[in-house]
Amino acid sequence: MELLSGGEMLIRALHDEGVELLFGYPGGAALHIYDAIFNQDKVAHILVRHEQAATHAADGYARATGKPGVVLVTSGPGATNAITGIATAFMDSIPMVVISGQVDSSLIGSDAFQETDMVGVSRPIVKHSFMVQTAEDIPMVVKKAFHIATTGRPGPVVIDVPKDVTDPARKFEYQYPSTVKMRSYSVPGKGHTGQIKKAVEILLSAKRPIIYAGGGVIQGNASALLTELARKLGYPVTNTLMGLGAFPAPDKQFLGMLGMHGTFEANNAMHFSDVVLGIGVRFDDRVTNAVAKFCPGAKILHVDIDPASISKTVAADVPIVGSVTSVLEEMLELVSQADAKVDRKSLDLWWQQIEGWRGKQCLKVMPADNDVIKPQQVVESVYRVTDGEAYVSSDVGQHQMFAAQYYHFNKPRRWINSGGLGTMGFGFPAAMGVQLAFPDAISVCITGEGSIQMCIQELATCLQYGLPVKIVCLNNESLGMVRQWQDMQYGGRYSSSTYSESLPDFVKLVEAYGHVGVRIEKLSELDQKMAEAFALKDRLVFIDVAVDPSEHVYPMAIKGGSMKDMYLSKTERT
Amino acid sequence: MRHIISILLENEPGALSRVVGLFSQRNYNIESLTVAPTEDHTLSRLTITTIGDDRKIEQITKHLNKLIDVVKLVDLTEGAHIERELMLLKVKATGAQRAEIKRTTDIFRGQIVDVTSTVYSIQLTGASDKLDSFLAAIGNAAVLEVARTGVTGISRGEKVLSL
Ligand SMILES: Cc1ncc(C[n+]2csc(CCOP(=O)(O)OP(=O)(O)O)c2C)c(N)n1
Ligand SMILES: [Mg+2]
């Protein structure tokens, strides 16, 4: 057997786990580990410029590939800087393993230099965490960490490693375990067959059905199955913000996103449905609006791998705990049987009603005067220029909702966005992670001038590793989403949401970082300049687009109402 | 409603803080908590009493089950069960009160475990409401100090909580 130090074991274990890339930033407590990285070439390390970006990049990598993202940070400030990214991954159930250096075991608890109780600080935002006691434990801890992070409902796992445990002078026998068994952790497999039968019966007898699919379908790699089931039934489908791409957006059966900024047709179809099939969703408050008024006439069929998600906010009539893949497979089998018939007549009437709502064209963009660009038009332009084939990450704000509404995701894992935590600063590092995973793909970050400044330092990382990310900044010279709420609820008092005079010249800024910058101010130039920017395949291009600052995101749910209660424009509401 | 949840927990560093953290993080309330290692030194047994409607209790048990360190749990209040709490208390015992307190202690099957000329130390076990009744019978004025362990429990009959 081979003799390795703790630091070497960590890196070797990552390799044995199939990890090719890790994102990190060095510091005292992690230096033995960094030395172990230097002495091998199997696992590549990407040096970011801020630990938050390491977690977001690993997260973007994980969302796009389905493989766990891996992060390495030092103790104290390195670890605390990673917290926002860990919380982001936790809220969206993203598989991630974060290795944090820790002070020497003998110093723990003494308020030593750069000591933070990382296991304690991260406890509410991890799926699990480990503090490594001795180097001999490392292979099993790493094995368990990846097992926990990637199975069941995925999530981030922290491994805190005291520096003495990685001491290069102390070597131990290394063998990576081939299996792991934990008596206290089991992964839900198939759903209950009787429940699935019952759900399918209800589904088939529905008169006004709707399929409401979320991030769990993408995480569970079940998009193809979902699409097959939906097409077989001919039922309308809506996706959550997290689920965009789970069902192909250009499909006639797709009603668009639902929820706070969902479409008129999706939200109405939910409200007036008689059967809701929720798959890989959690009936989030941004979807349901007032829970008491949610889907008053509907039977709720709820499929999720996490039992705690079921009947948490909305009671399920038929709860099914299981992996979405296996449940969908069983459902497909049942609806494919000869005697399985949908209520065609009612369904036709239902579609007529839905087409009526669709006819409202709630996302139709009203062009502005004087060649002014509407933010929605920018997303439409990106969609055209990239043929709908890009990986699109975003930050948080109006631009995020416009991206979700106007980039019609055809495939899963293309829409990379912080849905649960809503983390400004997520988009750009996430786009780096995507680009590293898929060097030849188009990786776009649709952002705002507010959000992009939260991780702008990563421009340097992109130069170092030659990452040709395209940054499309919908520059409305304000914290647009905040301003929208201030317009709607605070009498237009823009408390700390504007900063026009102090915005940087983004073109000069990115040039200073060694990249290309483009400024677009006229609608008549939009498509052409956008195309030129995307034509620079090997370069990072920052496309700063001046957009109409007065624009709001619509539809928008009316707080306290049901799903059908929406503002449709500044002057129209339901 | 009040529920008694008994948990077999990995006897690992940090495991208890995950359980306690879950309660504060999700705004669940803990009435009492007891914990000690079991005959199998790799496991601790933890008993929590909490209050909530069925929906909330369901969420609590689901979230507890999700914690990696939780091996098994049971809501004892779902079936017939035995619950016990131990109370140690000091009461003022002078003059005529001495006999009265002794008598009350006997009625509740408690024991006086230490005596001075002015103070009795009393030990009492039972369900929590019995301990409450005893305190009421003695009267606030006489009570100098109370130490209660919190509830521990076990189900009746052949049902066992084990691996
Ligand atoms: C880290 C963080 N801080 C604050 C917020 C609250 N917030 C949500 S949207 C928003 C404005 C975002 O501005 P910008 O990035 O310019 O996007 P816009 O809405 O203008 O498109 C703010 C401040 C947040 N989501 N994340
Ligand atoms: Mg903005």
Side-chain angles (χ1 to χ4, degrees), chain A residues 396-399 422 424 448-451 454 476 478-482 499:
Chain A
V396 178
Q398 292 183 319
H399 63 270
M424 289 171 68
E449 80 302 317
S451 295
M454 286 210 179
N476 54 11
S478 65
L479 300 172
M481 188 56 96
V482 171
Y499 40 43

Side-chain angles (χ1 to χ4, degrees), chain A residues 396-416:
Chain A
V396 178
Q398 292 183 319
H399 63 270
Q400 173 195 27
M401 292 302 135
F402 292 137
Q405 292 173 329
Y406 293 89
Y407 200 98
H408 311 288
F409 293 93
N410 204 0
K411 298 189 182 109
R413 301 196 177 282
R414 294 297 170 105
W415 168 235
I416 313 288

Side-chain angles (χ1 to χ4, degrees), chain A residues 276-303:
Chain A
V276 172
L277 172 61
I279 312 181
V281 292
R282 55 191 179 93
F283 294 81
D284 180 78
D285 54 279
R286 282 291 188 267
V287 163
T288 59
N289 209 355
V291 172
K293 300 177 186 168
F294 177 73
C295 296
K299 281 222 159 68
I300 309 288
L301 322 174
H302 190 179
V303 183

Side-chain angles (χ1 to χ4, degrees), chain A residues 89-113:
Chain A
F90 181 70
M91 286 295 271
D92 290 344
S93 312
I94 303 303
M96 181 185 286
V97 173
V98 178
I99 300 167
S100 52
Q102 183 53 279
V103 300
D104 278 348
S105 308
S106 60
L107 293 176
I108 290 177
S110 70
D111 302 321
F113 177 63

